[in-house]
Amino acid sequence: MTAAPGMNTTIGGKPLRLPFGPGTLQELATLRPWRCALQILTQWLVCALAIVAAQRIGQWPATIAAMLVIATRQHAMLVLMHEAAHRLLARNRLVNDIVGNLLLAFPLTLSVARYRAHHFRHHRHLNDEGDPDLADSEIPATRGRFLALLLRDASGLTTLATLRSANSFGMLGLFSRQSPGTGLDRCLAVAFIAVVAALVAWFGVWREFVLYWLAPVLLFMPAILRVRGIAEHGGRLDHPAHTAARSLRVGWIERFLWAPCHINRHWEHHSCPAVPSYNLPRLSRLLAAGDARCAAANPTRGYFIGPHSLIHELYPAVGEVPARAAAEKGAHGPHGK
């Protein structure tokens, strides 16, 4: 990068020079817990409103729409659990983990501590054989197969595979001997399960619990996670540090469906993991201004619509080579092979 003063960092062990100094990074990394609290509250409020609306309408189309909306907010909770894994919810680490577990991870049967151990390996071994998320970046051979996989995901046919993948950071693993979780994590997990079961039984809402909470995870979440996994690193596995992950520019509809809490700025996150999600747009502008070659300066524009979208980048028209792929050093075709 050309701007000065700068500072050196790495992405997956590959050197990268940031176009700003430690003072700017410290400012970007400053936590604002009220912003995190608002993010968390928003997801739960939208879920509650979707359930109330579906129950009031009382028709299956409204129920299915509510399930889809809830799945997108559950995905947002996963993104915020990722923030908790990086200790970006609160300055106090104990508070960070308690909030992350009780309000984000446990409701989705996951554990912040176990996800942290998994995710930090992803950062240390980005795009190499030690990366535990490497399989998530695998690209189907054709655009048709990609879309067919999304339909299979939404039908529930790939749910078991998704659950097996998530098992490496599931909350039940807290009770194994090699778990990275603490005794407090285990106590909170037991208490959480007991309280949820008691509340569901007391109010007699087993049907609603399955319909509005478990079904969105099983039916819609796999498709959301597949798109996100491929968008983050698919086709970038052997790229240099400045394009090792993807940065996407999205509209409000795609942000709601696929990219909550600025998770679309994934290359920026890998560049500066200490920066919370609400500061990623500013970080992106600084990185783009400092290096015209980097992913922040050359964002993919959306997921499925337009000539510069993710799906067009991965599956260009016959005889077409994307200009960006041809110009990037280290690029080896649309599939990064």
Side-chain angles (χ1 to χ4, degrees):
M1 294 191 176
T2 58
M7 57 182 294
N8 295 319
T9 185
T10 60
I11 294 183
K14 300 175 182 179
L16 180 74
R17 185 165 180 80
L18 301 176
F20 46 77
T24 300
L25 180 58
Q26 183 177 3
E27 181 183 353
L28 288 167
T30 299
L31 301 185
R32 294 176 175 81
W34 69 270
R35 295 285 299 270
C36 295
L38 184 59
Q39 287 176 315
I40 295 171
L41 178 62
T42 298
Q43 314 318 322
W44 283 104
L45 183 59
V46 172
C47 288
L49 292 175
I51 294 171
V52 170
Q55 289 293 95
R56 289 277 183 98
I57 296 172
Q59 300 293 327
W60 275 107
T63 299
I64 294 173
M67 291 165 59
L68 175 59
V69 169
I70 290 168
T72 67
R73 296 312 89 203
Q74 290 171 330
H75 178 223
M77 293 177 194
L78 290 180
V79 173
L80 293 172
M81 181 191 72
H82 166 263
E83 294 276 286
H86 282 281
R87 300 187 174 94
L88 299 177
L89 295 185
R91 299 181 183 91
N92 183 287
R93 292 191 173 190
L94 181 61
V95 172
N96 177 91
D97 283 12
I98 290 175
V99 171
N101 276 322
L102 293 180
L103 297 181
L104 302 169
F106 288 172
L108 296 168
T109 72
L110 304 176
S111 155
V112 169
R114 297 195 74 215
Y115 176 73
R116 180 181 291 131
H118 174 101
H119 185 65
F120 280 14
R121 291 198 304 273
H122 169 63
H123 275 268
R124 287 194 301 270
H125 303 287
L126 178 66
N127 294 350
D128 67 27
E129 294 181 357
D131 186 347
D133 294 335
L134 202 60
D136 295 336
S137 301
E138 292 182 0
I139 305 169
T142 66
R143 181 183 301 206
R145 290 186 181 180
F146 182 23
L147 298 178
L149 273 176
L150 295 183
L151 290 176
R152 287 188 63 200
D153 291 336
S155 70
L157 294 176
T158 57
T159 295
L160 289 179
T162 302
L163 293 178
R164 282 196 296 268
S165 175
N167 186 54
S168 59
F169 39 89
M171 66 187 297
L172 294 181
L174 287 170
F175 301 94
S176 67
R177 292 183 178 180
Q178 298 179 340
S179 171
T182 65
L184 177 61
D185 289 340
R186 289 186 281 274
C187 291
L188 288 175
V190 171
F192 179 86
I193 294 171
V195 168
V196 170
L199 289 174
V200 171
W202 178 267
F203 290 103
V205 290
W206 290 105
R207 175 184 176 276
E208 289 78 9
F209 178 70
V210 171
L211 192 62
Y212 293 115
W213 195 255
L214 297 184
V217 172
L218 300 177
L219 296 179
F220 294 109
M221 186 70 74
I224 293 173
L225 293 179
R226 186 183 299 278
V227 172
R228 174 181 156 191
I230 290 176
E232 289 176 350
H233 298 286
R236 302 292 179 97
L237 299 184
D238 59 355
H239 279 214
H242 65 275
T243 54
R246 192 173 274 105
S247 179
L248 287 96
R249 184 177 299 172
V250 297
W252 66 271
I253 294 177
E254 288 190 310
R255 183 177 304 283
F256 183 82
L257 291 173
W258 314 108
C261 306
H262 303 294
I263 194 64
N264 51 301
R265 300 294 187 179
H266 196 64
W267 179 79
E268 292 87 337
H269 166 66
H270 274 282
S271 302
C272 301
V275 175
S277 61
Y278 42 82
N279 284 339
L280 287 179
R282 183 187 171 201
L283 172 65
S284 183
R285 291 191 293 271
L286 291 172
L287 293 171
D291 185 353
R293 304 171 305 155
C294 76
N298 300 276
T300 301
R301 299 177 186 273
Y303 291 88
F304 293 104
I305 300 174
H308 303 290
S309 64
L310 170 69
I311 197 165
H312 190 84
E313 180 181 328
L314 296 177
Y315 306 105
V318 176
E320 177 186 13
V321 177
R324 190 189 318 161
E328 286 175 346
K329 181 181 179 181
H332 296 282
H335 291 217
K337 297 179 180 179

